[in-house]
Amino acid sequence: MLAMLNEFINFETISRKEWQRLHKEGNAPLTAEELDSIRSLNDKIDVQEVSDIYLPLINLIRIYQKTANDLTFSKSIFLQKSQTNRPFIIGVSGSVAVGKSTTSRLLQLLLQRTFPQSKVELVTTDGFLYPNQVLKEKDILNRKGFPESYDMPLLLNFLDTIKNGGDVNIPVYSHEIYDIVPGLTQEIRQPNFLIVEGINVFQNPINQRLYMSDYFDFSLYIDAEVNNIESWYLERFQTLLELAKKDENNYYHRFTKFSKDEALSLAQKTWRDINLVNLENYIEPTRSRAELILHKGDNHKIDFIHLKK
């Protein structure tokens, strides 16, 4: 209990029941079909969860955005300089298989509905992983997803350029081929909102002092108990195998030749030796850098929210 107290000492802990009272302006502005289209493979989010959890979150983001705009305006007066339009950047982090992608896509959709005149872009830090060939040359392919596997100078340059109103083309990562897609880029052109999702968004570059989070106007961490995340990871792995059975180009197709027990054993080993180590050593220790922590229970539902004081 003492550890839990110290861990969230700078946060206001809010129950689900208290949190859902913070939005009283109608139902979720999306259909169940739209939610299905953005839900990750094994996520259990539903429209009620959107109304109870994510609509209050949009209200909170609106407050942060207004405050950021007011501060930018006040700074321009103080410095006697013209005001520059700067995007509102949101960082989303958490473990593998915890639901970051669904949350990020949902935030993008809700922000577009809330601010219909605004441009809302979403990028994942997977695009800033070194290509597999580079990882092999560096002898760190087995540490893919760890801090050293990202091209952090490129990622920080992207954030700096976007924050200062520039345009950028960034690499694209494919989970089907498990690599950067050669020749394919994502064009980011002066968004009003930018959501940056990835396991490493609160981490600092090795041997440098600049944090990605220095560029964020708001940030959140998707949290859950480790045993639940492991269970969700194994469920997702089995689903990916099913989807890859008839696609020889899919990275997971090679594992469809394994027996069910062999495949499960491989997934458990990958979780234990790679994803769990990464979570415990690099991802979870950055959790307190978030402005908001959404904690999921074993049914994927948010049960507690921690808001930085």
Side-chain angles (χ1 to χ4, degrees), residues 99-159:
K100 299 183 305 301
S101 297
T102 298
T103 294
S104 299
R105 289 191 291 263
L106 177 57
L107 283 178
Q108 182 183 27
L109 179 57
L110 293 177
L111 286 170
Q112 287 172 337
R113 298 283 164 86
T114 305
F115 302 92
Q117 303 305 314
S118 294
K119 184 178 181 181
V120 186
E121 294 280 12
L122 167 63
V123 302
T124 71
T125 61
D126 290 341
F128 296 91
L129 285 162
Y130 287 113
N132 287 352
Q133 184 57 41
V134 175
L135 295 176
K136 290 176 183 176
E137 292 169 0
K138 291 176 174 285
D139 196 27
I140 55 171
L141 184 60
N142 63 333
R143 288 183 62 82
K144 193 172 192 177
F146 285 76
E148 64 269 28
S149 65
Y150 291 90
D151 188 342
M152 291 303 293
L154 182 65
L155 179 48
L156 288 168
N157 182 68
F158 159 70
L159 289 171

Side-chain angles (χ1 to χ4, degrees), residues 40-45 49 54 94-100 102-103 221-240 252 264 267-268 271 275 279 294-303:
S40 293
L41 290 178
N42 63 326
D43 211 322
K44 303 297 191 296
I45 191 170
E49 185 84 349
Y54 291 95
S95 171
V96 167
V98 81
K100 299 183 305 301
T102 298
T103 294
Y221 184 97
I222 313 299
D223 198 21
E225 302 305 316
V226 171
N227 61 315
N228 286 331
I229 302 175
E230 179 183 6
S231 176
W232 301 338
Y233 173 79
L234 296 176
E235 288 174 7
R236 188 180 73 174
F237 184 86
Q238 294 176 66
T239 301
L240 288 169
Y252 287 90
L264 180 59
Q268 290 171 330
W271 168 260
N275 292 311
L279 173 60
L294 298 177
H295 183 273
K296 289 186 173 184
D298 55 12
N299 58 356
H300 288 262
K301 303 293 186 183
I302 304 296
D303 50 10

Side-chain angles (χ1 to χ4, degrees), residues 12-280:
E12 182 81 24
T13 298
I14 307 165
S15 70
R16 181 189 178 96
K17 187 174 182 180
E18 293 171 317
W19 180 261
Q20 67 189 51
R21 293 173 182 165
L22 303 179
H23 178 85
K24 300 178 180 179
E25 301 177 10
N27 298 320
L30 80 172
T31 65
E33 290 74 22
E34 287 175 314
L35 189 56
D36 284 340
S37 71
I38 62 172
R39 183 191 291 113
S40 293
L41 290 178
N42 63 326
D43 211 322
K44 303 297 191 296
I45 191 170
D46 55 25
V47 173
Q48 188 63 50
E49 185 84 349
V50 175
S51 294
D52 291 349
I53 302 300
Y54 291 95
L55 293 190
L57 174 55
I58 292 296
N59 283 348
L60 181 63
I61 291 175
R62 190 200 298 263
I63 293 170
Y64 274 76
Q65 191 233 11
K66 182 180 184 305
T67 301
N69 287 344
D70 290 345
L71 180 58
T72 298
F73 178 71
S74 297
K75 278 184 176 180
S76 69
I77 294 175
F78 173 73
L79 296 172
Q80 300 180 18
K81 292 184 177 181
S82 59
Q83 182 177 352
T84 302
N85 292 326
R86 296 164 66 87
F88 188 87
I89 302 183
I90 301 171
V92 180
S93 186
S95 171
V96 167
V98 81
K100 299 183 305 301
S101 297
T102 298
T103 294
S104 299
R105 289 191 291 263
L106 177 57
L107 283 178
Q108 182 183 27
L109 179 57
L110 293 177
L111 286 170
Q112 287 172 337
R113 298 283 164 86
T114 305
F115 302 92
Q117 303 305 314
S118 294
K119 184 178 181 181
V120 186
E121 294 280 12
L122 167 63
V123 302
T124 71
T125 61
D126 290 341
F128 296 91
L129 285 162
Y130 287 113
N132 287 352
Q133 184 57 41
V134 175
L135 295 176
K136 290 176 183 176
E137 292 169 0
K138 291 176 174 285
D139 196 27
I140 55 171
L141 184 60
N142 63 333
R143 288 183 62 82
K144 193 172 192 177
F146 285 76
E148 64 269 28
S149 65
Y150 291 90
D151 188 342
M152 291 303 293
L154 182 65
L155 179 48
L156 288 168
N157 182 68
F158 159 70
L159 289 171
D160 191 72
T161 302
I162 289 294
K163 196 67 173 179
N164 287 286
D167 301 333
V168 190
N169 289 328
I170 60 174
V172 173
Y173 185 87
S174 169
H175 286 277
E176 290 188 356
I177 66 171
Y178 198 62
D179 202 354
I180 299 294
V181 182
L184 183 63
T185 60
Q186 179 182 0
E187 183 180 69
I188 305 297
R189 297 286 180 265
Q190 299 182 8
N192 301 103
F193 292 89
L194 174 67
I195 301 166
V196 182
E197 177 252 310
I199 60 177
N200 65 324
V201 300
F202 299 141
Q203 296 170 16
N204 64 313
I206 298 172
N207 299 324
Q208 295 187 35
R209 297 182 179 180
L210 182 64
Y211 289 83
M212 287 179 60
S213 53
D214 291 339
Y215 291 97
F216 299 154
D217 299 288
F218 185 80
S219 55
L220 61 100
Y221 184 97
I222 313 299
D223 198 21
E225 302 305 316
V226 171
N227 61 315
N228 286 331
I229 302 175
E230 179 183 6
S231 176
W232 301 338
Y233 173 79
L234 296 176
E235 288 174 7
R236 188 180 73 174
F237 184 86
Q238 294 176 66
T239 301
L240 288 169
L241 289 187
E242 286 297 318
L243 294 173
K245 279 184 176 180
K246 297 181 180 180
D247 184 1
E248 294 184 358
N249 295 318
N250 191 299
Y251 172 78
Y252 287 90
H253 181 77
R254 69 197 70 186
F255 305 124
T256 62
K257 309 300 182 183
F258 293 9
S259 69
K260 185 175 181 179
D261 287 343
E262 288 173 335
L264 180 59
S265 178
L266 173 65
Q268 290 171 330
K269 178 176 173 56
T270 302
W271 168 260
R272 182 180 63 251
D273 296 347
I274 299 177
N275 292 311
L276 179 59
V277 174
N278 201 8
L279 173 60
E280 292 181 337

